Amino acid sequence: MNKKYSIILEDINLTISKKLFFKNLSINFSSRGLSVILGPNGSGKTLLTKIISGMLEVDSGKISFEKKHFKIGYSPQRIVFLRRNVFENLSYSMKIRGIDNIKAIKRINYLLKKFNIYDKKYVSARNLSGGLSQYISFIRSIIMNPDILILDEPCSNLDNDF
């Protein structure tokens, strides 16, 4: 594998409900800096982010990563929260990965303070504004210190205050 790239997709084919979305798609994402996927609505940007993050399996093709073991942070375009407060939504992913409760509390408190939304800690996540939901989704994507960060429409729904 060429070490110049972090993520290599080779000859990816994807069909959903008998509709062909990708045919022999090959693309490399650099291990340095920032990569942006641009395209019109319906061009497959979200599908591509789901493929890279492992949320969607392809029909055929090869996906390679520079590192064998790494963490991916993912913030989807369509945000889904549990019927819990902000803190509990943020702590859930840490809990299922076996992170010590004290470490989880410290990390969440640190991030909520760093992003100046500590006062929202016990607010129901489902009652947040669109912009604040986007913000919490971003924090959730970085909570585990990922090696790769995938953000699908990260600036959509942002409030003027953010």
PDB file of all heavy atoms in Angstrom, residues 128-142:
ATOM      1  N   LEU A 128     -32.841  19.984  21.862  1.00  0.00           N
ATOM      2  CA  LEU A 128     -31.862  20.993  21.485  1.00  0.00           C
ATOM      3  C   LEU A 128     -32.221  21.614  20.138  1.00  0.00           C
ATOM      4  O   LEU A 128     -32.879  20.989  19.310  1.00  0.00           O
ATOM      5  CB  LEU A 128     -30.472  20.359  21.382  1.00  0.00           C
ATOM      6  CG  LEU A 128     -29.918  19.706  22.643  1.00  0.00           C
ATOM      7  CD1 LEU A 128     -28.621  18.971  22.317  1.00  0.00           C
ATOM      8  CD2 LEU A 128     -29.685  20.740  23.726  1.00  0.00           C
ATOM      9  N   SER A 129     -31.748  22.816  19.908  1.00  0.00           N
ATOM     10  CA  SER A 129     -31.914  23.442  18.596  1.00  0.00           C
ATOM     11  C   SER A 129     -31.105  22.650  17.576  1.00  0.00           C
ATOM     12  O   SER A 129     -30.221  21.859  17.931  1.00  0.00           O
ATOM     13  CB  SER A 129     -31.422  24.889  18.640  1.00  0.00           C
ATOM     14  OG  SER A 129     -30.014  24.927  18.807  1.00  0.00           O
ATOM     15  N   GLY A 130     -31.381  22.886  16.300  1.00  0.00           N
ATOM     16  CA  GLY A 130     -30.640  22.191  15.248  1.00  0.00           C
ATOM     17  C   GLY A 130     -29.150  22.451  15.334  1.00  0.00           C
ATOM     18  O   GLY A 130     -28.337  21.548  15.175  1.00  0.00           O
ATOM     19  N   GLY A 131     -28.787  23.715  15.600  1.00  0.00           N
ATOM     20  CA  GLY A 131     -27.380  24.072  15.684  1.00  0.00           C
ATOM     21  C   GLY A 131     -26.686  23.432  16.871  1.00  0.00           C
ATOM     22  O   GLY A 131     -25.564  22.937  16.761  1.00  0.00           O
ATOM     23  N   LEU A 132     -27.366  23.435  18.016  1.00  0.00           N
ATOM     24  CA  LEU A 132     -26.776  22.830  19.210  1.00  0.00           C
ATOM     25  C   LEU A 132     -26.685  21.309  19.050  1.00  0.00           C
ATOM     26  O   LEU A 132     -25.710  20.695  19.485  1.00  0.00           O
ATOM     27  CB  LEU A 132     -27.572  23.208  20.453  1.00  0.00           C
ATOM     28  CG  LEU A 132     -26.883  23.029  21.791  1.00  0.00           C
ATOM     29  CD1 LEU A 132     -25.497  23.646  21.808  1.00  0.00           C
ATOM     30  CD2 LEU A 132     -27.729  23.629  22.905  1.00  0.00           C
ATOM     31  N   SER A 133     -27.660  20.719  18.380  1.00  0.00           N
ATOM     32  CA  SER A 133     -27.598  19.282  18.091  1.00  0.00           C
ATOM     33  C   SER A 133     -26.378  18.967  17.239  1.00  0.00           C
ATOM     34  O   SER A 133     -25.671  17.987  17.478  1.00  0.00           O
ATOM     35  CB  SER A 133     -28.859  18.824  17.349  1.00  0.00           C
ATOM     36  OG  SER A 133     -29.985  18.929  18.164  1.00  0.00           O
ATOM     37  N   GLN A 134     -26.126  19.812  16.241  1.00  0.00           N
ATOM     38  CA  GLN A 134     -24.964  19.627  15.376  1.00  0.00           C
ATOM     39  C   GLN A 134     -23.674  19.724  16.188  1.00  0.00           C
ATOM     40  O   GLN A 134     -22.744  18.955  16.006  1.00  0.00           O
ATOM     41  CB  GLN A 134     -24.976  20.693  14.278  1.00  0.00           C
ATOM     42  CG  GLN A 134     -24.010  20.439  13.162  1.00  0.00           C
ATOM     43  CD  GLN A 134     -24.487  19.340  12.232  1.00  0.00           C
ATOM     44  OE1 GLN A 134     -25.675  19.188  11.987  1.00  0.00           O
ATOM     45  NE2 GLN A 134     -23.572  18.554  11.732  1.00  0.00           N
ATOM     46  N   TYR A 135     -23.651  20.664  17.085  1.00  0.00           N
ATOM     47  CA  TYR A 135     -22.491  20.892  17.953  1.00  0.00           C
ATOM     48  C   TYR A 135     -22.230  19.664  18.835  1.00  0.00           C
ATOM     49  O   TYR A 135     -21.108  19.197  18.951  1.00  0.00           O
ATOM     50  CB  TYR A 135     -22.784  22.122  18.804  1.00  0.00           C
ATOM     51  CG  TYR A 135     -21.617  22.995  19.115  1.00  0.00           C
ATOM     52  CD1 TYR A 135     -20.742  23.444  18.142  1.00  0.00           C
ATOM     53  CD2 TYR A 135     -21.397  23.410  20.427  1.00  0.00           C
ATOM     54  CE1 TYR A 135     -19.685  24.272  18.447  1.00  0.00           C
ATOM     55  CE2 TYR A 135     -20.348  24.249  20.747  1.00  0.00           C
ATOM     56  CZ  TYR A 135     -19.496  24.678  19.754  1.00  0.00           C
ATOM     57  OH  TYR A 135     -18.458  25.489  20.069  1.00  0.00           O
ATOM     58  N   ILE A 136     -23.293  19.149  19.457  1.00  0.00           N
ATOM     59  CA  ILE A 136     -23.168  17.966  20.323  1.00  0.00           C
ATOM     60  C   ILE A 136     -22.750  16.754  19.490  1.00  0.00           C
ATOM     61  O   ILE A 136     -21.926  15.943  19.926  1.00  0.00           O
ATOM     62  CB  ILE A 136     -24.489  17.685  21.077  1.00  0.00           C
ATOM     63  CG1 ILE A 136     -24.866  18.857  21.985  1.00  0.00           C
ATOM     64  CG2 ILE A 136     -24.399  16.376  21.868  1.00  0.00           C
ATOM     65  CD1 ILE A 136     -23.878  19.186  23.071  1.00  0.00           C
ATOM     66  N   SER A 137     -23.270  16.641  18.288  1.00  0.00           N
ATOM     67  CA  SER A 137     -22.870  15.542  17.407  1.00  0.00           C
ATOM     68  C   SER A 137     -21.381  15.612  17.096  1.00  0.00           C
ATOM     69  O   SER A 137     -20.692  14.585  17.064  1.00  0.00           O
ATOM     70  CB  SER A 137     -23.678  15.591  16.107  1.00  0.00           C
ATOM     71  OG  SER A 137     -23.287  14.555  15.246  1.00  0.00           O
ATOM     72  N   PHE A 138     -20.868  16.814  16.872  1.00  0.00           N
ATOM     73  CA  PHE A 138     -19.436  16.972  16.630  1.00  0.00           C
ATOM     74  C   PHE A 138     -18.633  16.549  17.860  1.00  0.00           C
ATOM     75  O   PHE A 138     -17.655  15.813  17.754  1.00  0.00           O
ATOM     76  CB  PHE A 138     -19.086  18.407  16.250  1.00  0.00           C
ATOM     77  CG  PHE A 138     -17.609  18.637  16.143  1.00  0.00           C
ATOM     78  CD1 PHE A 138     -16.903  18.160  15.058  1.00  0.00           C
ATOM     79  CD2 PHE A 138     -16.913  19.279  17.155  1.00  0.00           C
ATOM     80  CE1 PHE A 138     -15.525  18.333  14.966  1.00  0.00           C
ATOM     81  CE2 PHE A 138     -15.544  19.466  17.073  1.00  0.00           C
ATOM     82  CZ  PHE A 138     -14.854  18.991  15.972  1.00  0.00           C
ATOM     83  N   ILE A 139     -19.066  16.994  19.033  1.00  0.00           N
ATOM     84  CA  ILE A 139     -18.365  16.619  20.270  1.00  0.00           C
ATOM     85  C   ILE A 139     -18.390  15.096  20.435  1.00  0.00           C
ATOM     86  O   ILE A 139     -17.385  14.484  20.791  1.00  0.00           O
ATOM     87  CB  ILE A 139     -18.980  17.329  21.490  1.00  0.00           C
ATOM     88  CG1 ILE A 139     -18.701  18.833  21.401  1.00  0.00           C
ATOM     89  CG2 ILE A 139     -18.447  16.752  22.802  1.00  0.00           C
ATOM     90  CD1 ILE A 139     -19.451  19.668  22.413  1.00  0.00           C
ATOM     91  N   ARG A 140     -19.516  14.490  20.135  1.00  0.00           N
ATOM     92  CA  ARG A 140     -19.628  13.029  20.221  1.00  0.00           C
ATOM     93  C   ARG A 140     -18.637  12.361  19.265  1.00  0.00           C
ATOM     94  O   ARG A 140     -18.068  11.314  19.579  1.00  0.00           O
ATOM     95  CB  ARG A 140     -21.064  12.602  19.920  1.00  0.00           C
ATOM     96  CG  ARG A 140     -21.323  11.139  20.055  1.00  0.00           C
ATOM     97  CD  ARG A 140     -22.785  10.774  19.986  1.00  0.00           C
ATOM     98  NE  ARG A 140     -23.443  11.272  18.794  1.00  0.00           N
ATOM     99  CZ  ARG A 140     -24.748  11.141  18.556  1.00  0.00           C
ATOM    100  NH1 ARG A 140     -25.533  10.558  19.446  1.00  0.00           N
ATOM    101  NH2 ARG A 140     -25.276  11.608  17.456  1.00  0.00           N
ATOM    102  N   SER A 141     -18.396  12.977  18.099  1.00  0.00           N
ATOM    103  CA  SER A 141     -17.473  12.380  17.126  1.00  0.00           C
ATOM    104  C   SER A 141     -16.014  12.451  17.564  1.00  0.00           C
ATOM    105  O   SER A 141     -15.197  11.655  17.107  1.00  0.00           O
ATOM    106  CB  SER A 141     -17.644  13.044  15.753  1.00  0.00           C
ATOM    107  OG  SER A 141     -17.111  14.343  15.741  1.00  0.00           O
ATOM    108  N   ILE A 142     -15.680  13.379  18.451  1.00  0.00           N
ATOM    109  CA  ILE A 142     -14.279  13.498  18.899  1.00  0.00           C
ATOM    110  C   ILE A 142     -14.049  12.978  20.311  1.00  0.00           C
ATOM    111  O   ILE A 142     -12.932  13.005  20.801  1.00  0.00           O
ATOM    112  CB  ILE A 142     -13.777  14.961  18.798  1.00  0.00           C
ATOM    113  CG1 ILE A 142     -14.543  15.882  19.744  1.00  0.00           C
ATOM    114  CG2 ILE A 142     -13.822  15.453  17.361  1.00  0.00           C
ATOM    115  CD1 ILE A 142     -13.944  17.269  19.887  1.00  0.00           C
TER     116      ILE A 142
END
